[in-house]
Amino acid sequence: MWIIRYGWRLGILTISLASAAVRGDTQRETLVWDQTFEKLVKDEIQPWYVQGETGTFNGVSVDDQPVPLHYKAFVNPKARADIVIVHGFGERIPKYMELAYAFYQQGYSVFLYDQRGFGESKRLLKNSGAVYVHKFEHYVEDLKLFYDKIVIPRSPNKPHFIFAHSMGGAVTSLFLARYPEVASRAVLSTPMHEMNSGWLPRWMAYSMVYTGVAIGQGASYAFGQPRPLFQERFEKAATQSYSRWKWFSDFSSQPDQREHALGGASNHWVLEAYGATSQFSDEGFPRKIKIPILLFQAGKDTWVVDRAQDFFCQDAPDCTLIRYEDAKHEIYWETDAIRASYLQKILEFFGPS
């Protein structure tokens, strides 16, 4: 399998061959626990991670009550630009530890935050693991506040780039249309431009959550959504990398991390997400985004629908679409055989400023 090491040589990721067993088989890594990856995380990435700036800032208030949001900042003294990482549904900052480290080693300052209701940011429901948001646009305004309060003051006069995954891709797409002057380039990795309702027709799924909200069950779990899990089954994971999945599952199962576990979406969250993502079907929407976009699709994605991504990229003024047929939803978290190419394309897209 491939073991990715982060270095300055040639200005790109340096990739070393850990074994001769690379035959394009992306499933091979799922069969073993890679001790080299474990050592890299333990000896290099985690010690770097804990040294980052940690703090909170207030996002959009709800009913005049502050909503404190947790963030991490890694300011590179030789930064060519900064990268803000916007996480996906059910995720939080530590899951992007490895990716943030890779960007930092390539000469970028890196900023991450837990979106409202996720990770160490304020939960919006008491005594519930259901994901909830009062208005989806609050995510968008939180991102703007993160730039205004944290990113720009710590990285003045630098180009601003964004890496956004899944739900974060939906938030970022709305943000770029509303605030076109903030960022200069953005990577949308399997963005949630349309949710996958599975075997339920889209109209039926919408009707169910609409009814749930209408009868006062907006804070309840939407149909089929799971309760909090500390460790999901690997077979259901959105990655084929057993090494990464096992490391984060073990990390999340630690006693001090269990309080951050979340379940599935509430009826109100799903209804808000439907309303937000419906904007992407308007052919005029992508035209509002003027900056270069690099959009990644995954051929084995079961979380979002790629047709909406196709329409988005076709209508956007400057959008490049790259598809990894053998990848699952979390390409940034995939096997090294996929991830090495993926990261190199991202770095080439951001490039020297």
Side-chain angles (χ1 to χ4, degrees):
M1 65 192 69
W2 293 93
I3 303 304
I4 299 179
R5 304 287 293 180
Y6 307 105
W8 294 92
R9 189 172 64 183
L10 301 179
I12 62 173
L13 290 175
T14 302
I15 304 169
S16 60
L17 186 61
S19 78
V22 178
R23 301 184 181 90
D25 180 4
T26 58
Q27 295 293 332
R28 177 170 297 276
E29 188 177 344
T30 69
L31 303 178
V32 295
W33 166 238
D34 178 11
Q35 294 181 345
T36 308
F37 173 79
E38 180 185 30
K39 180 175 174 57
L40 175 66
V41 174
K42 180 179 178 181
D43 294 349
E44 297 183 30
I45 298 178
Q46 286 183 317
W48 168 84
Y49 176 81
V50 298
Q51 293 177 14
E53 176 188 341
T54 300
T56 60
F57 69 101
N58 284 334
V60 178
S61 298
V62 175
D63 297 330
D64 296 324
Q65 295 298 311
V67 179
L69 305 179
H70 174 68
Y71 77 87
K72 292 281 288 186
F74 303 91
V75 179
N76 192 322
K78 299 181 179 180
R80 64 182 77 177
D82 61 63
I83 300 175
V84 168
I85 295 178
V86 188
H87 68 73
F89 182 88
E91 296 184 327
R92 53 199 177 95
I93 291 172
K95 193 169 182 180
Y96 289 83
M97 192 184 303
E98 183 189 13
L99 183 64
Y101 179 77
F103 286 153
Y104 185 90
Q105 291 297 320
Q106 294 304 311
Y108 297 99
S109 291
V110 187
F111 299 86
L112 312 89
Y113 70 107
D114 287 330
Q115 299 193 69
R116 60 180 54 217
F118 296 99
E120 296 185 46
S121 291
K122 183 177 180 178
R123 291 286 177 91
L124 304 176
L125 293 177
K126 293 183 179 180
N127 303 318
S128 174
V131 177
Y132 185 91
V133 70
H134 293 82
K135 296 181 180 179
F136 201 91
E137 67 176 29
H138 287 172
Y139 293 132
V140 180
E141 294 305 314
D142 287 343
L143 179 53
K144 181 61 164 60
L145 289 169
F146 186 47
Y147 268 106
D148 292 344
K149 294 183 177 182
I150 305 300
V151 179
I152 294 175
R154 289 159 179 75
S155 185
N157 305 316
K158 300 286 185 181
H160 305 306
F161 300 151
I162 301 179
F163 172 92
H165 167 68
S166 194
M167 186 197 93
V171 172
T172 297
S173 297
L174 295 166
F175 171 82
L176 295 175
R178 185 175 300 180
Y179 300 106
E181 76 286 355
V182 177
S184 55
R185 285 179 177 261
V187 170
L188 304 179
S189 187
T190 59
M192 191 186 75
H193 287 160
E194 181 179 344
M195 295 182 292
N196 189 342
S197 59
W199 58 270
L200 282 176
R202 182 179 173 86
W203 67 266
M204 183 180 294
Y206 178 85
S207 297
M208 291 173 67
V209 296
Y210 181 87
T211 301
V213 172
I215 64 175
Q217 297 299 310
S220 300
Y221 284 98
F223 176 76
Q225 292 294 293
R227 271 49 177 175
L229 294 173
F230 303 122
Q231 188 172 28
E232 65 179 353
R233 291 169 52 196
F234 176 61
E235 292 76 12
K236 293 186 176 182
T239 175
Q240 297 167 106
S241 173
Y242 179 78
S243 300
R244 292 182 173 88
W245 169 85
K246 184 178 186 302
W247 169 77
F248 192 69
S249 294
D250 291 347
F251 174 85
S252 300
S253 297
Q254 296 173 9
D256 63 338
Q257 297 296 321
R258 286 176 172 251
E259 64 182 286
H260 306 308
L262 278 171
S266 63
N267 284 311
H268 187 78
W269 187 94
V270 178
L271 191 63
E272 282 291 315
Y274 269 128
T277 56
S278 67
Q279 299 178 57
F280 302 134
S281 61
D282 178 358
E283 65 179 16
F285 180 88
R287 296 173 189 168
K288 299 177 183 179
I289 301 176
K290 308 302 182 183
I291 67 171
I293 300 292
L294 181 60
L295 192 154
F296 288 99
Q297 288 182 343
K300 297 180 179 180
D301 201 327
T302 58
W303 294 81
V304 298
V305 179
D306 55 18
R307 66 187 174 194
Q309 299 165 356
D310 292 334
F311 296 147
F312 179 93
C313 211
Q314 289 168 8
D315 289 340
D318 188 354
C319 181
T320 301
L321 190 152
I322 298 176
R323 183 178 176 88
Y324 284 90
E325 287 293 345
D326 292 332
K328 296 180 78 171
H329 183 57
E330 296 174 350
I331 311 179
Y332 75 93
W333 199 238
E334 262 291 5
T335 59
D336 291 337
I338 294 173
R339 192 170 177 273
S341 167
Y342 168 80
L343 286 176
Q344 184 163 335
K345 292 182 187 303
I346 291 172
L347 293 172
E348 289 172 351
F349 173 71
F350 285 152
S353 58

